[in-house]
Amino acid sequence: HARDELCVWAGQIQRQLPKAERHPDYAHAAAAESLAAALGGAGYPRRAGGAVVAVTEAEAAACRALGVPVDAADAAVAWAYGRLMEEDTAEDPVFGPAARRRFESLAAVAAARSPAAPELAELVATERERGMVPTTAVHDACVALFGAPQPDVDAISSDAIRAAANARLAEAASPAARRELAHHVAVLAATQRNTALSEYAAGLEAETEAAGEQQQEPGTVQLPALPVGLRNIGNTCYLNSILQCLFSLAPVRRAVLSVGDGQTWNEDCAVGRRDGGRALSTAEIDAALRFVRLLKTLFAALAAGRAAPRATGHPLAAAAESAQHAVAPARELVDMLMPQATAPATAAAAAPPTYFPAGGGASVSQRQQQDVDECMAQCVALLVHALPPPPASNEAAGEATWIHQLLAGRLEFATRPLDGNSSSSSSRAGDDAPDAAAGAPAATVDTFLNLNLNIPAEGADINECLAAFFAPSVVAGSGLERRPRLKDAPPVLCMQVQRVQFDTAAMRAFKTTAHLRLRRQISLAPFCDFDAAPGRLAALHHRIAALAGHLRALQVPTGSDGGSVSVVPALERAHAFVAGVGGWAERDDARLLLADLPQPPADIVALACEAAAHLRQMAAALGDARARWERELLELRAEANALYESVAPDDPMAYTLHAVFVHSGDSPEFGHYWVYVRQPDGPDGPEGPGGWLKFNDSVVSSAAPDDDIFRDAPRPGEESATPYYLVYVRNSDLDATVDRTL
């Protein structure tokens, strides 16, 4: 080893000398022989065959770069590579330019000696796994993406690499060319040790593979038995749930997959579309079109998986098989819908593109969104931005795009004095306003993409939440009552359950895990008319809400975590304690205590006895009332349940549950999302075998509706896994919205 080390050092010294001072006759072989003779050795470890082995000029040059003779054994080459890495004094001796050149020499020696050099091949593979890239690969990547070598690869920004890749992708004529471009991006990502860029490259490769599978003949690809899932590439569970839900809606899926037809989308990037009274810029239209194209690639991959037949084996085996085929959403697509994980390096980079919600309102930055509701709104806004501009006549009249017609509804609000003598309403949007000259008030009509529902009590029914949403409310300080009604119901109705509540005492948000009972079908008919006669269901809702309020008033907060306990057992414990004070006069230790108090002992004992009697009466009265209210609540909910289950088949406002987003976690700041989606391939309804699927990132599995979705109480130990976002589809639109084509 000493001889080998001196040999390597001699080569290093020779290379570090100025060219004019280098010995013109220096040769590694001669140096090795001289050192071997000086050290008294017969020679250093040589490869099998020794000098008779033919050596190419490329291998000889690589050996010289590593400072070893051409006939050095593989172990000596590996050892020399390691010593050069250890002794490198460059700024970045592990991944810098000099390290890449060393690795390229090592790879050249290993390739020249393959397959008889397994030790070197293993070392090269290990170095590649930790991110080493040969200099020639970096050179080729720069030429392929930028048209010429780049002087400082580490200085190239991620945005510049992505922009160059996107430009070359548009020119790529074959899947092989796209795969090669993805490889070049991966090389630069590994060189820069840029995780986000590596994920972007992986997404490009996955999209290419998915597109290639779509073009193959039927039967040539082994498809999974269940629909494919989406890989979690960094806190993307809620985005994955949204993408699976959007894919399940036939109008959205068909429109996205039609990119390229020149009709559905604004592929010519024509200006003229407005949003919220503001004209969209060309950059915003370009970004929206890029979003739709990325979504098409993803949907094509999901469609390939959806085309497979259902599994007939064990459910766990089917889920595991599905996970193996999971698709990774493109990093660029994720970045358009989710906040960046890392802070930008410059102030210029810190300004993310801004989009505006469909239908107007405050602007939304790409990196501000952190929830299902906001992410869904961002998706809708980008889809709207990518649509062709409307004709001037439609724009003046207020265009309703097919996206709005599918997802957006309208609420009308009426106000009246609390004495009920007259009513009035006013409009923020101004549409559907009656003629003011006729003396009729204007209507307050608001467009919505989802209804925000509060849970009025533990174990409340979704119908109770809707009744609470549409119940009249008092406008603070005005003496007016405000009441909403559903003016226009969308085919696809989205509802967000307000799980995030605010504790004013602790000044922090917390998540309520109150159980919510879901229904396969609901009817919105009771909420469409201000003057509808209050039927039995409305009376039940009113009384149920009152009883829930009574029981809620009996709860005492236990701390800043949103928890509470009933006041009745608290009163019972207080009674037991105070009653014990009344018996102090009979205890020797207590009599000594009473003697030291300023009040007469008899007065203290009498007060304790009187207070104990009052506490006993209070506990008994409230306990009896609580039991009575709970019994009545159970009876009323049972009656209401029968009415909930009797939705008329011809009810034009009947809706069927289509998707349930679930959030698992005790805090609104973190947790995990998955989504249950009803499949249309069961026998005429959600109760059929396999009628519901659970999309949990990569894993897709069959769900048991009664146990997973429509439970009467939370599953023990899983109280924090709660419905967070609901999607219902109007029954009359089921065939068009959730079709059987996939």
Side-chain angles (χ1 to χ4, degrees):
H1 289 297
R3 180 198 61 215
D4 294 340
E5 188 167 344
L6 288 172
C7 181
V8 172
W9 282 352
Q12 285 184 295
I13 293 171
Q14 177 75 2
R15 288 194 304 275
Q16 291 175 2
L17 291 173
K19 289 185 178 181
E21 299 179 13
R22 295 180 184 177
H23 196 289
D25 298 327
Y26 174 81
H28 287 76
E33 293 173 1
S34 300
L35 285 170
L39 295 171
Y44 48 85
R46 289 174 169 81
R47 57 192 295 197
V52 300
V53 178
V55 178
T56 64
E57 179 54 35
E59 182 183 357
C63 287
R64 287 195 296 272
L66 294 173
V68 296
V70 293
D71 62 345
D74 295 345
V77 175
W79 172 83
Y81 177 79
R83 290 308 303 265
L84 290 174
M85 190 75 74
E86 294 173 6
E87 296 172 5
D88 193 341
T89 59
E91 181 179 351
D92 187 355
V94 180
F95 292 102
R100 291 197 291 268
R101 287 193 294 270
R102 276 194 302 272
F103 176 66
E104 184 171 14
S105 299
L106 175 68
V109 174
R113 297 185 178 186
S114 177
E119 182 179 352
L120 292 182
E122 183 178 354
L123 178 59
V124 169
T126 301
E127 291 294 273
R128 288 187 189 278
E129 286 179 2
R130 74 176 184 88
M132 283 304 301
V133 180
T135 303
T136 53
V138 178
H139 174 275
D140 294 344
C142 291
V143 172
L145 293 173
F146 300 103
Q150 301 298 304
D152 188 356
V153 176
D154 292 327
I156 306 175
S157 69
S158 299
D159 291 340
I161 294 174
R162 290 188 184 188
N166 291 336
R168 297 294 181 268
L169 285 171
E171 304 167 358
S174 67
R178 294 176 65 87
R179 279 192 290 269
E180 185 177 0
L181 282 171
H183 169 71
H184 290 317
V185 175
V187 166
L188 296 184
T191 303
Q192 296 183 348
R193 301 182 301 286
N194 188 322
T195 303
L197 198 58
S198 295
E199 293 173 345
Y200 170 69
L204 290 180
E205 186 172 357
E207 293 170 15
T208 301
E209 295 298 330
E213 289 186 3
Q214 282 294 98
Q215 297 171 1
Q216 295 188 20
E217 292 296 325
T220 61
V221 177
Q222 181 63 41
L223 294 174
L226 283 173
V228 295
L230 293 174
R231 294 176 190 161
N232 190 320
I233 60 173
N235 297 324
T236 58
C237 53
Y238 67 85
L239 174 59
N240 288 345
S241 298
I242 288 174
L243 294 174
Q244 291 282 14
C245 182
L246 288 176
F247 178 84
S248 71
L249 300 175
V252 177
R253 182 179 68 248
R254 291 172 185 156
V256 170
L257 292 176
S258 71
V259 171
D261 64 2
Q263 300 178 357
T264 306
W265 305 99
N266 185 13
E267 296 179 51
D268 295 330
C269 202
V271 296
R273 174 159 293 284
R274 304 180 68 83
D275 199 353
R278 179 187 62 87
L280 296 177
S281 67
T282 303
E284 288 174 306
I285 297 173
D286 282 337
L289 288 171
R290 178 61 182 160
F291 167 76
V292 177
R293 292 188 180 105
L294 291 170
L295 201 58
K296 176 184 178 179
T297 302
L298 182 67
F299 278 12
L302 293 178
R306 292 289 182 108
R310 282 294 175 84
T312 57
H314 193 280
L316 292 179
E321 180 190 7
S322 176
Q324 294 177 2
H325 296 266
V327 178
R331 185 74 246 182
E332 185 180 358
L333 175 68
V334 173
D335 288 345
M336 286 184 169
L337 299 171
M338 292 182 62
Q340 298 295 313
T342 57
T346 64
T354 299
Y355 298 103
F356 289 76
S363 62
V364 178
S365 166
Q366 277 183 252
R367 298 173 189 171
Q368 292 176 345
Q369 166 277 311
Q370 294 181 2
D371 205 349
V372 169
D373 178 36
E374 295 168 344
C375 188
M376 182 70 82
Q378 185 80 330
C379 287
V380 172
L382 285 167
L383 292 172
V384 171
H385 288 182
L387 294 174
S393 58
N394 288 359
E395 182 180 354
E399 180 209 21
T401 67
W402 66 265
I403 300 173
H404 290 104
Q405 292 172 355
L406 179 70
L407 299 173
R410 294 194 299 171
L411 294 171
E412 183 178 3
F413 296 87
T415 57
R416 65 179 182 182
L418 289 175
D419 57 19
N421 289 334
S422 61
S423 64
S424 65
S425 45
S426 58
S427 177
R428 184 169 40 189
D431 52 340
D432 292 354
D435 186 359
T444 298
V445 178
D446 284 350
T447 300
F448 67 88
L449 288 177
N450 60 266
L451 301 179
N452 296 318
L453 305 182
N454 286 304
I455 303 178
E458 171 67 32
D461 192 279
I462 182 63
N463 289 279
E464 296 173 36
C465 298
L466 286 167
F469 179 87
F470 286 99
S473 60
V474 176
V475 182
S478 66
L480 297 175
E481 179 185 75
R482 191 168 189 254
R483 181 178 183 181
R485 79 173 181 96
L486 189 62
K487 182 175 179 63
D488 292 309
V492 178
L493 175 66
C494 299
M495 297 182 283
Q496 175 164 344
V497 183
Q498 297 290 81
R499 292 286 178 185
V500 181
Q501 304 292 324
F502 191 77
D503 186 342
T504 55
M507 295 301 293
R508 69 174 186 86
F510 67 93
K511 175 190 173 182
T512 173
T513 57
H515 181 65
L516 174 64
R517 296 185 63 193
L518 300 179
R519 296 287 170 182
R520 288 176 169 83
Q521 291 194 340
I522 59 173
S523 174
L524 300 181
F527 313 116
C528 295
D529 194 346
F530 287 130
D531 300 323
R536 177 55 182 165
L537 192 56
L540 288 173
H541 285 156
H542 185 271
R543 181 56 182 167
I544 287 173
L547 292 174
H550 296 343
L551 294 173
R552 192 165 51 248
L554 292 179
Q555 298 296 115
V556 178
T558 57
S560 60
D561 59 353
S564 61
V565 296
S566 174
V567 72
V568 175
L571 289 173
E572 291 171 346
R573 289 193 296 271
H575 164 260
F577 175 78
V578 176
V581 174
W584 281 3
E586 301 174 2
R587 292 167 44 192
D588 293 339
D589 55 346
R591 281 198 298 270
L592 294 175
L593 183 151
L594 291 171
D596 284 342
L597 295 177
Q599 294 86 357
D603 293 348
I604 294 176
V605 171
L607 286 173
C609 293
E610 183 180 357
H614 288 302
L615 288 171
R616 183 177 63 254
Q617 293 174 3
M618 289 178 61
L622 292 179
D624 291 343
R626 182 185 65 176
R628 185 175 64 256
W629 294 335
E630 288 175 344
R631 285 194 303 271
E632 184 181 0
L633 187 59
L634 287 175
E635 294 170 357
L636 295 181
R637 279 183 170 166
E639 183 181 353
N641 182 65
L643 296 176
Y644 297 151
E645 297 291 344
S646 61
V647 176
D650 58 347
D651 185 346
M653 296 303 294
Y655 281 73
T656 294
L657 185 61
H658 174 68
V660 180
F661 292 74
V662 174
H663 175 264
S664 179
D666 295 318
S667 169
E669 304 298 331
F670 59 85
H672 180 60
Y673 282 96
W674 64 82
V675 63
Y676 296 104
V677 179
R678 177 181 174 269
Q679 303 300 298
D681 50 2
D684 297 332
E687 298 83 358
W692 285 86
L693 292 180
K694 178 182 179 181
F695 293 85
N696 188 1
D697 285 337
S698 298
V699 179
V700 182
S701 57
S702 297
D706 289 334
D707 193 49
D708 293 331
I709 302 170
F710 302 108
R711 294 181 60 89
D712 292 333
R715 185 182 286 112
E718 299 182 10
E719 289 80 3
S720 67
T722 53
Y724 195 91
Y725 198 84
L726 310 173
V727 179
Y728 278 83
V729 177
R730 189 162 51 200
N731 288 0
S732 58
D733 295 288
L734 276 173
D735 290 339
T737 306
V738 188
D739 62 19
R740 299 171 183 264
T741 58
L742 285 177

